[in-house]
Coordinates of all heavy atoms in Angstrom, one line a residue:
M11 N 35.6 20.1 12.1 CA 36.9 19.7 12.5 C 37.1 18.2 12.6 O 38.1 17.7 12.3 CB 37.2 20.4 13.9 CG 38.5 20.2 14.4 SD 39.7 21.1 13.4 CE 40.9 21.6 14.5
K12 N 36.0 17.6 13.0 CA 36.0 16.1 13.1 C 36.2 15.5 11.7 O 36.9 14.5 11.5 CB 34.7 15.6 13.8 CG 34.8 14.2 14.2 CD 33.5 13.9 15.0 CE 33.6 12.6 15.7 NZ 32.4 12.3 16.5
K13 N 35.5 16.1 10.7 CA 35.6 15.6 9.4 C 37.0 15.7 8.8 O 37.5 14.9 8.1 CB 34.6 16.3 8.4 CG 33.2 15.9 8.7 CD 32.2 16.7 7.8 CE 30.8 16.3 8.1 NZ 29.9 17.0 7.2
L14 N 37.7 16.8 9.2 CA 39.0 17.1 8.7 C 40.0 16.0 9.3 O 40.9 15.5 8.6 CB 39.5 18.5 9.1 CG 40.8 18.9 8.6 CD1 40.9 18.9 7.1 CD2 41.2 20.3 9.1
A15 N 39.8 15.7 10.6 CA 40.6 14.7 11.2 C 40.4 13.3 10.6 O 41.4 12.6 10.3 CB 40.3 14.6 12.7
I16 N 39.2 13.0 10.2 CA 38.9 11.7 9.6 C 39.5 11.7 8.2 O 40.2 10.7 7.8 CB 37.4 11.4 9.5 CG1 36.8 11.2 10.9 CG2 37.1 10.3 8.6 CD1 35.3 11.2 11.0
L17 N 39.4 12.8 7.4 CA 40.0 12.9 6.1 C 41.5 12.7 6.2 O 42.2 12.0 5.4 CB 39.6 14.2 5.5 CG 40.2 14.4 4.1 CD1 39.7 13.4 3.1 CD2 39.8 15.8 3.6
A18 N 42.1 13.4 7.2 CA 43.6 13.3 7.3 C 44.0 11.9 7.7 O 45.0 11.4 7.1 CB 44.1 14.3 8.4
S19 N 43.3 11.2 8.5 CA 43.6 9.8 8.9 C 43.5 8.9 7.6 O 44.3 8.1 7.4 CB 42.6 9.3 9.9 OG 42.8 10.0 11.1
A20 N 42.4 9.1 6.8 CA 42.2 8.3 5.6 C 43.3 8.5 4.6 O 43.9 7.6 4.0 CB 40.9 8.6 5.0
L21 N 43.7 9.8 4.5 CA 44.9 10.0 3.5 C 46.2 9.4 4.0 O 46.9 8.9 3.2 CB 45.0 11.6 3.3 CG 44.0 12.2 2.5 CD1 44.2 13.7 2.5 CD2 44.0 11.7 1.1
T22 N 46.4 9.5 5.3 CA 47.6 8.9 5.9 C 47.7 7.4 5.7 O 48.7 6.9 5.3 CB 47.7 9.3 7.4 OG1 47.7 10.7 7.6 CG2 49.0 8.7 8.0
L23 N 46.5 6.8 5.9 CA 46.5 5.3 5.7 C 46.7 5.0 4.2 O 47.4 4.0 3.9 CB 45.1 4.8 6.2 CG 45.0 4.8 7.7 CD1 43.5 4.3 8.1 CD2 46.0 3.8 8.4
S24 N 46.1 5.7 3.3 CA 46.2 5.4 1.9 C 47.6 5.6 1.4 O 48.1 4.9 0.6 CB 45.2 6.2 1.0 OG 45.5 7.6 1.1
F25 N 48.3 6.7 1.9 CA 49.7 6.9 1.5 C 50.6 5.7 2.0 O 51.5 5.3 1.3 CB 50.2 8.2 2.0 CG 49.7 9.4 1.2 CD1 49.3 10.5 1.9 CD2 49.6 9.4 -0.2 CE1 48.8 11.6 1.2 CE2 49.1 10.5 -0.9 CZ 48.7 11.6 -0.2
G26 N 50.3 5.3 3.2 CA 51.0 4.2 3.8 C 50.9 2.9 3.0 O 51.8 2.2 2.7
A27 N 49.6 2.6 2.6 CA 49.4 1.5 1.7 C 50.0 1.6 0.4 O 50.6 0.6 -0.1 CB 47.8 1.3 1.5
F28 N 50.0 2.8 -0.2 CA 50.7 3.0 -1.5 C 52.2 2.7 -1.3 O 52.8 2.1 -2.2 CB 50.5 4.4 -2.0 CG 51.2 4.7 -3.3 CD1 50.8 4.1 -4.5 CD2 52.3 5.5 -3.3 CE1 51.5 4.4 -5.7 CE2 53.0 5.8 -4.4 CZ 52.6 5.2 -5.6
A29 N 52.8 3.3 -0.3 CA 54.3 3.1 0.0 C 54.6 1.6 0.2 O 55.6 1.1 -0.3 CB 54.7 3.9 1.2
A30 N 53.7 0.9 0.9 CA 54.0 -0.5 1.1 C 53.9 -1.3 -0.2 O 54.7 -2.2 -0.5 CB 53.0 -1.1 2.1
T31 N 52.9 -1.0 -1.1 CA 52.8 -1.6 -2.4 C 54.0 -1.3 -3.2 O 54.5 -2.2 -3.9 CB 51.5 -1.1 -3.1 OG1 50.4 -1.4 -2.2 CG2 51.3 -1.8 -4.4
Q32 N 54.5 -0.1 -3.2 CA 55.6 0.3 -4.0 C 56.9 -0.5 -3.6 O 57.6 -1.0 -4.4 CB 55.9 1.8 -3.9 CG 56.9 2.3 -4.9 CD 56.4 2.2 -6.4 OE1 55.2 2.1 -6.6 NE2 57.3 2.3 -7.3
A33 N 57.0 -0.6 -2.2 CA 58.2 -1.3 -1.7 C 58.1 -2.8 -2.0 O 59.1 -3.4 -2.4 CB 58.2 -1.2 -0.2
S34 N 56.9 -3.4 -2.0 CA 56.7 -4.8 -2.4 C 57.1 -5.0 -3.8 O 57.7 -6.0 -4.2 CB 55.3 -5.2 -2.1 OG 54.9 -5.1 -0.8
E35 N 56.7 -4.1 -4.7 CA 57.0 -4.3 -6.1 C 58.5 -4.2 -6.4 O 59.0 -5.0 -7.2 CB 56.2 -3.2 -6.9 CG 54.7 -3.5 -7.0 CD 54.0 -2.3 -7.7 OE1 54.6 -1.4 -8.2 OE2 52.8 -2.4 -7.8
E36 N 59.2 -3.3 -5.7 CA 60.6 -3.2 -5.8 C 61.3 -4.4 -5.3 O 62.3 -4.9 -5.9 CB 61.1 -2.0 -5.1 CG 60.7 -0.7 -5.8 CD 61.1 0.6 -5.0 OE1 61.7 0.5 -3.9 OE2 60.6 1.7 -5.4
T37 N 60.8 -5.0 -4.2 CA 61.4 -6.2 -3.6 C 61.2 -7.4 -4.5 O 62.1 -8.2 -4.7 CB 60.7 -6.5 -2.2 OG1 60.9 -5.4 -1.4 CG2 61.3 -7.7 -1.6
L38 N 60.0 -7.4 -5.1 CA 59.7 -8.5 -6.1 C 60.6 -8.4 -7.3 O 61.1 -9.4 -7.8 CB 58.2 -8.4 -6.5 CG 57.7 -9.5 -7.4 CD1 57.9 -10.9 -6.8 CD2 56.3 -9.3 -7.8
A39 N 60.8 -7.2 -7.8 CA 61.7 -7.0 -9.0 C 63.1 -7.4 -8.6 O 63.8 -8.1 -9.5 CB 61.6 -5.6 -9.4
T40 N 63.6 -7.1 -7.4 CA 64.9 -7.4 -7.0 C 65.0 -9.0 -6.9 O 66.0 -9.5 -7.3 CB 65.3 -6.8 -5.7 OG1 65.2 -5.3 -5.8 CG2 66.7 -7.1 -5.2
A41 N 64.0 -9.6 -6.4 CA 64.0 -11.0 -6.2 C 64.1 -11.7 -7.6 O 64.8 -12.7 -7.8 CB 62.8 -11.5 -5.4
H42 N 63.3 -11.2 -8.5 CA 63.3 -11.8 -9.9 C 64.7 -11.7 -10.5 O 65.2 -12.6 -11.1 CB 62.2 -11.1 -10.8 CG 60.9 -11.6 -10.6 ND1 60.5 -12.9 -10.8 CD2 59.7 -10.9 -10.2 CE1 59.2 -13.0 -10.5 NE2 58.7 -11.9 -10.2
K43 N 65.3 -10.5 -10.3 CA 66.6 -10.3 -10.9 C 67.6 -11.3 -10.3 O 68.4 -11.8 -11.1 CB 67.0 -8.8 -10.7 CG 68.2 -8.4 -11.5 CD 68.4 -6.9 -11.3 CE 69.5 -6.4 -12.2 NZ 69.7 -5.0 -12.1
G44 N 67.6 -11.4 -9.0 CA 68.5 -12.3 -8.4 C 68.3 -13.8 -8.8 O 69.2 -14.5 -9.0
A45 N 67.0 -14.2 -8.9 CA 66.7 -15.5 -9.4 C 67.1 -15.8 -10.8 O 67.7 -16.8 -11.1 CB 65.2 -15.8 -9.3
D46 N 67.0 -14.8 -11.7 CA 67.4 -14.9 -13.0 C 68.9 -15.0 -13.1 O 69.4 -15.9 -13.9 CB 67.0 -13.7 -13.9 CG 65.5 -13.6 -14.1 OD1 64.8 -14.6 -13.9 OD2 65.0 -12.5 -14.5
T47 N 69.6 -14.3 -12.3 CA 71.1 -14.4 -12.3 C 71.5 -15.7 -11.8 O 72.4 -16.3 -12.4 CB 71.7 -13.3 -11.4 OG1 71.2 -12.0 -11.9 CG2 73.2 -13.3 -11.4
A48 N 70.9 -16.2 -10.8 CA 71.3 -17.5 -10.2 C 71.0 -18.6 -11.2 O 71.8 -19.6 -11.4 CB 70.5 -17.8 -8.9
K49 N 69.8 -18.5 -11.9 CA 69.5 -19.5 -12.9 C 70.5 -19.5 -14.1 O 70.9 -20.5 -14.6 CB 68.1 -19.3 -13.4 CG 67.6 -20.3 -14.4 CD 66.2 -20.0 -15.0 CE 65.1 -20.0 -14.1 NZ 63.8 -19.8 -14.8
E50 N 70.9 -18.3 -14.5 CA 71.8 -18.2 -15.6 C 73.2 -18.8 -15.2 O 73.8 -19.6 -16.0 CB 72.1 -16.7 -16.0 CG 70.9 -16.1 -16.7 CD 71.1 -14.6 -17.0 OE1 72.3 -14.1 -16.9 OE2 70.1 -13.9 -17.2
K51 N 73.6 -18.6 -14.0 CA 74.9 -19.2 -13.6 C 74.8 -20.7 -13.5 O 75.7 -21.4 -13.9 CB 75.3 -18.6 -12.2 CG 75.8 -17.1 -12.4 CD 76.2 -16.6 -11.0 CE 76.7 -15.2 -11.2 NZ 77.3 -14.6 -10.0
L52 N 73.7 -21.2 -13.0 CA 73.5 -22.6 -12.9 C 73.5 -23.2 -14.3 O 74.2 -24.2 -14.6 CB 72.2 -22.9 -12.3 CG 71.7 -24.4 -12.3 CD1 72.7 -25.3 -11.5 CD2 70.3 -24.6 -11.8
H53 N 72.8 -22.6 -15.3 CA 72.8 -23.2 -16.6 C 74.1 -23.1 -17.3 O 74.5 -24.0 -18.1 CB 71.7 -22.4 -17.4 CG 70.3 -22.8 -17.0 ND1 69.3 -23.1 -17.9 CD2 69.8 -23.0 -15.8 CE1 68.2 -23.4 -17.3 NE2 68.5 -23.4 -16.0
E54 N 74.9 -22.0 -17.1 CA 76.2 -21.9 -17.6 C 77.1 -23.0 -17.1 O 77.8 -23.6 -17.9 CB 76.8 -20.6 -17.3 CG 76.3 -19.4 -18.1 CD 76.9 -18.1 -17.6 OE1 77.9 -18.0 -16.9 OE2 76.3 -17.0 -18.0
A55 N 77.0 -23.3 -15.8 CA 77.8 -24.4 -15.3 C 77.4 -25.8 -15.9 O 78.2 -26.6 -16.2 CB 77.7 -24.4 -13.8
Q56 N 76.1 -26.0 -16.0 CA 75.6 -27.2 -16.6 C 76.0 -27.4 -18.0 O 76.5 -28.4 -18.5 CB 74.1 -27.3 -16.5 CG 73.5 -27.5 -15.1 CD 72.0 -27.3 -15.0 OE1 71.4 -26.7 -15.9 NE2 71.4 -28.0 -14.0
N57 N 75.9 -26.3 -18.8 CA 76.3 -26.3 -20.2 C 77.8 -26.6 -20.4 O 78.2 -27.3 -21.2 CB 75.9 -25.0 -20.9 CG 74.4 -24.8 -21.0 OD1 73.6 -25.7 -20.8 ND2 74.0 -23.6 -21.2
T58 N 78.6 -25.9 -19.5 CA 80.1 -26.1 -19.6 C 80.4 -27.6 -19.3 O 81.2 -28.2 -19.9 CB 80.8 -25.2 -18.6 OG1 80.4 -23.8 -18.9 CG2 82.3 -25.4 -18.6
G59 N 79.7 -28.1 -18.3 CA 79.9 -29.5 -17.9 C 79.6 -30.5 -19.1 O 80.3 -31.4 -19.4
A60 N 78.5 -30.2 -19.7 CA 78.0 -31.0 -20.9 C 79.0 -30.9 -22.0 O 79.3 -31.9 -22.7 CB 76.6 -30.6 -21.3
Q61 N 79.5 -29.7 -22.3 CA 80.5 -29.5 -23.4 C 81.8 -30.2 -23.1 O 82.4 -30.8 -24.0 CB 80.7 -28.0 -23.6 CG 79.4 -27.3 -24.2 CD 79.5 -25.8 -24.2 OE1 80.5 -25.2 -23.7 NE2 78.4 -25.2 -24.7
Q62 N 82.2 -30.1 -21.8 CA 83.5 -30.8 -21.5 C 83.3 -32.3 -21.6 O 84.2 -33.0 -22.0 CB 83.9 -30.4 -20.1 CG 84.4 -29.0 -20.0 CD 84.8 -28.5 -18.6 OE1 84.4 -29.2 -17.6 NE2 85.4 -27.4 -18.5
K63 N 82.2 -32.8 -21.2 CA 81.9 -34.2 -21.3 C 82.0 -34.7 -22.7 O 82.5 -35.7 -23.0 CB 80.5 -34.6 -20.7 CG 80.2 -36.0 -20.7 CD 78.8 -36.2 -20.0 CE 78.4 -37.7 -20.1 NZ 77.0 -37.9 -19.6
L64 N 81.4 -33.9 -23.6 CA 81.4 -34.3 -25.1 C 82.8 -34.2 -25.6 O 83.2 -35.1 -26.3 CB 80.5 -33.3 -25.8 CG 80.3 -33.6 -27.3 CD1 79.7 -35.0 -27.5 CD2 79.5 -32.6 -28.0
K65 N 83.6 -33.2 -25.2 CA 85.0 -33.1 -25.7 C 85.8 -34.3 -25.2 O 86.6 -34.9 -25.9 CB 85.6 -31.8 -25.2 CG 85.2 -30.6 -26.0 CD 86.0 -29.4 -25.5 CE 85.5 -28.2 -26.3 NZ 86.3 -27.0 -26.0
A66 N 85.6 -34.7 -23.9 CA 86.3 -35.9 -23.3 C 85.9 -37.1 -24.1 O 86.7 -38.0 -24.3 CB 85.9 -36.0 -21.8
Q67 N 84.6 -37.3 -24.4 CA 84.1 -38.4 -25.1 C 84.8 -38.5 -26.5 O 85.3 -39.6 -26.9 CB 82.6 -38.4 -25.3 CG 82.0 -39.6 -26.1 CD 80.5 -39.4 -26.3 OE1 79.9 -38.5 -25.8 NE2 80.0 -40.4 -27.0
H68 N 84.9 -37.4 -27.2 CA 85.5 -37.3 -28.5 C 87.0 -37.7 -28.4 O 87.6 -38.4 -29.2 CB 85.3 -36.0 -29.2 CG 84.0 -35.8 -29.7 ND1 83.5 -34.5 -29.9 CD2 82.9 -36.6 -29.9 CE1 82.2 -34.6 -30.3 NE2 81.9 -35.9 -30.3
A69 N 87.7 -37.2 -27.3 CA 89.1 -37.4 -27.1 C 89.3 -38.9 -26.8 O 90.3 -39.5 -27.3 CB 89.6 -36.6 -25.9
A70 N 88.4 -39.5 -26.1 CA 88.5 -41.0 -25.7 C 88.3 -41.8 -27.0 O 88.9 -42.9 -27.1 CB 87.5 -41.4 -24.7
E71 N 87.5 -41.3 -27.9 CA 87.3 -42.1 -29.2 C 88.3 -41.7 -30.2 O 88.3 -42.3 -31.3 CB 85.9 -41.7 -29.7 CG 84.7 -42.2 -28.8 CD 83.4 -41.6 -29.3 OE1 83.4 -40.8 -30.2 OE2 82.4 -42.0 -28.7
G72 N 89.3 -40.8 -29.9 CA 90.3 -40.5 -30.8 C 89.9 -39.5 -31.9 O 90.5 -39.4 -33.0
K73 N 88.8 -38.8 -31.7 CA 88.2 -37.9 -32.7 C 88.3 -36.5 -32.2 O 87.5 -35.6 -32.6 CB 86.8 -38.2 -33.0 CG 86.5 -39.6 -33.4 CD 85.0 -39.7 -33.9 CE 84.2 -40.6 -32.9 NZ 82.8 -40.7 -33.3
A74 N 89.2 -36.2 -31.3 CA 89.2 -34.8 -30.7 C 89.3 -33.7 -31.6 O 88.7 -32.7 -31.5 CB 90.4 -34.8 -29.7
N75 N 90.1 -33.8 -32.7 CA 90.3 -32.7 -33.6 C 89.6 -32.9 -35.0 O 89.9 -32.2 -35.9 CB 91.8 -32.4 -33.8 CG 92.4 -31.9 -32.6 OD1 91.8 -31.1 -31.8 ND2 93.6 -32.3 -32.3
S76 N 88.7 -33.9 -35.0 CA 88.1 -34.2 -36.3 C 87.0 -33.2 -36.6 O 86.5 -32.5 -35.8 CB 87.5 -35.6 -36.3 OG 86.3 -35.6 -35.5
T77 N 86.7 -33.0 -37.9 CA 85.7 -32.1 -38.3 C 84.3 -32.4 -37.7 O 83.6 -31.5 -37.3 CB 85.6 -32.1 -39.9 OG1 86.9 -31.8 -40.4 CG2 84.6 -31.1 -40.3
G78 N 84.0 -33.7 -37.7 CA 82.7 -34.1 -37.1 C 82.6 -33.8 -35.6 O 81.5 -33.3 -35.2
S79 N 83.7 -33.9 -34.9 CA 83.6 -33.6 -33.4 C 83.5 -32.1 -33.2 O 82.7 -31.6 -32.4 CB 84.8 -34.1 -32.7 OG 86.0 -33.5 -33.1
K80 N 84.2 -31.3 -34.1 CA 84.1 -29.9 -34.0 C 82.6 -29.4 -34.3 O 82.1 -28.5 -33.7 CB 85.1 -29.2 -34.9 CG 86.5 -29.4 -34.3 CD 87.5 -28.7 -35.2 CE 88.9 -28.9 -34.7 NZ 89.9 -28.2 -35.5
I81 N 82.1 -30.0 -35.3 CA 80.7 -29.6 -35.7 C 79.7 -30.0 -34.6 O 78.8 -29.2 -34.2 CB 80.3 -30.3 -37.0 CG1 81.1 -29.7 -38.2 CG2 78.8 -30.2 -37.3 CD1 80.9 -30.4 -39.5
S82 N 79.9 -31.2 -34.0 CA 79.1 -31.7 -32.9 C 79.2 -30.8 -31.7 O 78.1 -30.4 -31.1 CB 79.4 -33.1 -32.6 OG 78.7 -33.5 -31.4
E83 N 80.4 -30.4 -31.4 CA 80.6 -29.5 -30.2 C 80.0 -28.1 -30.5 O 79.4 -27.5 -29.6 CB 82.1 -29.4 -29.9 CG 82.6 -30.8 -29.3 CD 84.1 -30.8 -29.3 OE1 84.8 -29.8 -29.6 OE2 84.7 -31.9 -29.1
G84 N 80.2 -27.6 -31.7 CA 79.6 -26.3 -32.0 C 78.1 -26.3 -32.0 O 77.5 -25.4 -31.5
S85 N 77.5 -27.4 -32.5 CA 76.1 -27.6 -32.5 C 75.5 -27.6 -31.0 O 74.5 -27.0 -30.7 CB 75.6 -28.8 -33.2 OG 76.0 -28.8 -34.5
Q86 N 76.3 -28.3 -30.2 CA 75.8 -28.4 -28.8 C 75.9 -27.0 -28.1 O 75.0 -26.6 -27.4 CB 76.7 -29.4 -28.0 CG 76.2 -29.6 -26.6 CD 77.1 -30.5 -25.8 OE1 78.3 -30.3 -25.8 NE2 76.5 -31.4 -25.1
K87 N 77.0 -26.3 -28.4 CA 77.1 -24.9 -27.8 C 76.0 -24.0 -28.3 O 75.4 -23.2 -27.6 CB 78.5 -24.4 -28.2 CG 78.8 -23.1 -27.5 CD 80.3 -22.7 -27.8 CE 80.7 -21.5 -27.0 NZ 82.1 -21.1 -27.2
A88 N 75.7 -24.1 -29.6 CA 74.6 -23.3 -30.2 C 73.3 -23.6 -29.6 O 72.5 -22.7 -29.3 CB 74.6 -23.4 -31.7
W89 N 73.0 -24.9 -29.4 CA 71.8 -25.4 -28.8 C 71.6 -24.8 -27.4 O 70.6 -24.3 -27.0 CB 71.7 -26.9 -28.8 CG 70.6 -27.4 -27.9 CD1 70.7 -28.1 -26.7 CD2 69.2 -27.2 -28.1 NE1 69.4 -28.3 -26.2 CE2 68.5 -27.8 -27.0 CE3 68.4 -26.5 -29.1 CZ2 67.1 -27.8 -26.9 CZ3 67.0 -26.5 -28.9 CH2 66.4 -27.2 -27.9
H90 N 72.7 -24.9 -26.6 CA 72.7 -24.3 -25.2 C 72.4 -22.8 -25.2 O 71.6 -22.4 -24.4 CB 74.0 -24.6 -24.5 CG 74.1 -26.1 -24.1 ND1 75.4 -26.7 -23.9 CD2 73.3 -27.1 -23.9 CE1 75.2 -27.9 -23.6 NE2 74.0 -28.2 -23.6
S91 N 73.0 -22.1 -26.1 CA 72.8 -20.7 -26.2 C 71.3 -20.4 -26.6 O 70.7 -19.5 -26.0 CB 73.7 -20.1 -27.3 OG 73.5 -18.7 -27.4
T92 N 70.8 -21.1 -27.6 CA 69.4 -21.0 -28.0 C 68.4 -21.3 -26.9 O 67.5 -20.5 -26.6 CB 69.1 -21.9 -29.2 OG1 70.0 -21.5 -30.3 CG2 67.7 -21.7 -29.7
K93 N 68.7 -22.4 -26.2 CA 67.8 -22.8 -25.1 C 67.8 -21.7 -24.0 O 66.8 -21.4 -23.4 CB 68.3 -24.1 -24.5 CG 67.4 -24.8 -23.5 CD 67.7 -26.2 -23.2 CE 69.0 -26.2 -22.4 NZ 69.3 -27.6 -21.9
Q94 N 69.0 -21.2 -23.6 CA 69.1 -20.2 -22.6 C 68.4 -18.9 -23.0 O 67.7 -18.3 -22.2 CB 70.6 -19.9 -22.3 CG 70.8 -19.2 -21.0 CD 72.2 -19.2 -20.5 OE1 73.1 -19.7 -21.2 NE2 72.5 -18.7 -19.4
G95 N 68.5 -18.5 -24.2 CA 67.8 -17.3 -24.7 C 66.3 -17.5 -24.7 O 65.6 -16.6 -24.3
A96 N 65.8 -18.7 -25.0 CA 64.4 -18.9 -24.9 C 63.9 -18.9 -23.5 O 62.8 -18.4 -23.2 CB 64.1 -20.3 -25.6
E97 N 64.7 -19.4 -22.6 CA 64.3 -19.4 -21.2 C 64.3 -18.0 -20.6 O 63.4 -17.6 -19.9 CB 65.3 -20.3 -20.3 CG 65.1 -21.8 -20.6 CD 66.1 -22.6 -19.8 OE1 67.0 -22.1 -19.2 OE2 66.0 -23.8 -19.9
K98 N 65.3 -17.2 -21.0 CA 65.3 -15.8 -20.6 C 64.0 -15.1 -21.1 O 63.4 -14.3 -20.4 CB 66.5 -15.0 -21.2 CG 67.8 -15.3 -20.4 CD 68.9 -14.5 -21.0 CE 70.2 -14.8 -20.4 NZ 71.3 -14.1 -21.0
G99 N 63.6 -15.3 -22.4 CA 62.4 -14.7 -23.0 C 61.2 -15.2 -22.2 O 60.3 -14.4 -21.9
W100 N 61.1 -16.4 -21.9 CA 60.0 -17.0 -21.2 C 59.9 -16.4 -19.8 O 58.8 -16.0 -19.3 CB 60.1 -18.5 -21.1 CG 58.9 -19.1 -20.3 CD1 59.1 -19.8 -19.1 CD2 57.5 -19.1 -20.6 NE1 57.8 -20.2 -18.7 CE2 56.9 -19.8 -19.6 CE3 56.8 -18.5 -21.6 CZ2 55.5 -19.9 -19.6 CZ3 55.4 -18.7 -21.6 CH2 54.8 -19.4 -20.6
D101 N 61.0 -16.2 -19.1 CA 61.0 -15.6 -17.8 C 60.5 -14.2 -17.8 O 59.8 -13.7 -17.0 CB 62.4 -15.7 -17.2 CG 62.8 -17.1 -16.7 OD1 61.9 -17.9 -16.6 OD2 64.0 -17.3 -16.5
K102 N 61.0 -13.4 -18.8 CA 60.5 -12.0 -19.0 C 59.0 -12.0 -19.3 O 58.3 -11.1 -18.8 CB 61.3 -11.3 -20.1 CG 62.8 -11.1 -19.9 CD 63.0 -10.2 -18.7 CE 64.5 -10.0 -18.5 NZ 64.8 -9.4 -17.2
T103 N 58.5 -12.9 -20.0 CA 57.1 -13.0 -20.3 C 56.3 -13.2 -19.0 O 55.3 -12.6 -18.8 CB 56.8 -14.1 -21.4 OG1 57.5 -13.8 -22.6 CG2 55.3 -14.1 -21.7
K104 N 56.8 -14.2 -18.2 CA 56.1 -14.5 -17.0 C 56.1 -13.3 -16.0 O 55.1 -13.0 -15.4 CB 56.8 -15.7 -16.3 CG 56.5 -17.0 -16.9 CD 56.9 -18.2 -16.1 CE 58.3 -18.2 -15.6 NZ 58.7 -19.4 -15.0
E105 N 57.3 -12.6 -16.0 CA 57.4 -11.4 -15.1 C 56.4 -10.3 -15.6 O 55.8 -9.7 -14.8 CB 58.8 -10.9 -15.1 CG 59.8 -11.8 -14.3 CD 61.2 -11.3 -14.4 OE1 61.5 -10.1 -14.7 OE2 62.1 -12.1 -14.2
S106 N 56.4 -10.1 -16.9 CA 55.5 -9.1 -17.4 C 54.0 -9.5 -17.1 O 53.2 -8.6 -16.8 CB 55.6 -9.0 -18.9 OG 56.9 -8.5 -19.2
A107 N 53.7 -10.7 -17.2 CA 52.3 -11.2 -16.9 C 52.0 -10.9 -15.4 O 50.9 -10.5 -15.1 CB 52.1 -12.6 -17.3
E108 N 53.0 -11.2 -14.5 CA 52.8 -11.0 -13.1 C 52.6 -9.5 -12.9 O 51.7 -9.1 -12.1 CB 54.0 -11.5 -12.3 CG 54.0 -13.0 -12.2 CD 55.3 -13.5 -11.5 OE1 56.0 -12.7 -10.9 OE2 55.5 -14.7 -11.5
D109 N 53.4 -8.7 -13.5 CA 53.3 -7.2 -13.3 C 51.9 -6.7 -13.8 O 51.3 -5.9 -13.1 CB 54.4 -6.5 -14.1 CG 55.8 -6.7 -13.5 OD1 55.9 -7.1 -12.3 OD2 56.8 -6.4 -14.2
L110 N 51.5 -7.2 -14.9 CA 50.2 -6.8 -15.4 C 49.1 -7.3 -14.5 O 48.1 -6.5 -14.2 CB 49.9 -7.4 -16.8 CG 48.6 -7.1 -17.5 CD1 48.5 -5.6 -17.7 CD2 48.5 -7.8 -18.8
K111 N 49.2 -8.5 -13.9 CA 48.2 -9.0 -13.0 C 48.2 -8.2 -11.7 O 47.1 -7.9 -11.2 CB 48.6 -10.5 -12.7 CG 47.7 -11.1 -11.7 CD 48.1 -12.5 -11.4 CE 47.6 -13.0 -10.1 NZ 48.2 -14.3 -9.7
N112 N 49.4 -7.8 -11.3 CA 49.4 -6.9 -10.1 C 48.9 -5.5 -10.3 O 48.3 -4.9 -9.4 CB 50.9 -6.8 -9.6 CG 51.4 -8.1 -9.0 OD1 50.6 -9.0 -8.6 ND2 52.7 -8.3 -9.0
D113 N 49.0 -5.0 -11.5 CA 48.5 -3.7 -11.9 C 47.0 -3.7 -11.9 O 46.3 -2.8 -11.6 CB 49.1 -3.2 -13.2 CG 50.5 -2.8 -13.1 OD1 51.0 -2.6 -11.9 OD2 51.2 -2.7 -14.1
I114 N 46.4 -4.8 -12.4 CA 45.0 -5.0 -12.6 C 44.3 -5.2 -11.3 O 43.2 -4.7 -11.0 CB 44.7 -6.1 -13.6 CG1 45.1 -5.6 -15.0 CG2 43.2 -6.3 -13.6 CD1 45.0 -6.7 -16.1
S115 N 44.8 -6.1 -10.5 CA 44.2 -6.5 -9.2 C 44.2 -5.4 -8.2 O 45.2 -4.7 -8.1 CB 44.8 -7.8 -8.7 OG 46.1 -7.6 -8.3
P116 N 43.2 -5.3 -7.4 CA 43.1 -4.1 -6.4 C 44.1 -4.3 -5.3 O 44.5 -5.2 -4.9 CB 41.7 -4.2 -5.9 CG 41.1 -5.4 -6.4 CD 41.9 -6.0 -7.4

């Protein structure tokens, strides 16, 4: 009977630890998602500001509708998009590495 009580206690503790680990992983995933969203919004605002600054500069120089200014503005927009995509990829890689590390460590 004593062995059964010890076994029951050990199982209860292990289930509690498993539930806590699962909750921690879900909390971590939610935190990563929130951080990614905040970072994306920040970068969008920064990129919009840089694009508006370039448009204003072209307007001040009298080149607002010139082919060169349109190409320059398009290139800047493409660069921001590429940079943001690379950052998203890097963030996903880091999250995957953290998940793998958490799966491996006891």
Side-chain angles (χ1 to χ4, degrees):
M11 186 67 145
K12 193 174 193 180
K13 290 180 182 178
L14 184 60
I16 293 172
L17 180 62
S19 296
L21 286 174
T22 303
L23 289 174
S24 65
F25 286 137
F28 176 74
T31 302
Q32 192 68 19
S34 297
E35 289 174 3
E36 290 173 7
T37 303
L38 183 62
T40 302
H42 279 300
K43 191 173 187 178
D46 291 344
T47 302
K49 187 189 288 187
E50 286 175 21
K51 288 183 179 184
L52 172 66
H53 288 223
E54 285 176 16
Q56 289 172 335
N57 294 344
T58 301
Q61 290 167 359
Q62 289 176 348
K63 182 179 175 183
L64 184 60
K65 284 184 181 185
Q67 179 184 356
H68 288 161
E71 294 171 354
K73 303 188 250 179
N75 293 322
S76 72
T77 303
S79 68
K80 288 181 182 181
I81 291 172
S82 174
E83 291 165 9
S85 296
Q86 185 184 49
K87 189 172 184 177
W89 167 247
H90 288 156
S91 177
T92 301
K93 188 170 73 170
Q94 194 167 7
E97 288 176 357
K98 283 182 185 179
W100 177 244
D101 289 343
K102 293 294 180 193
T103 301
K104 287 192 309 188
E105 289 174 23
S106 296
E108 286 177 8
D109 290 344
L110 182 60
K111 179 181 157 190
N112 290 337
D113 289 343
I114 293 172
S115 61

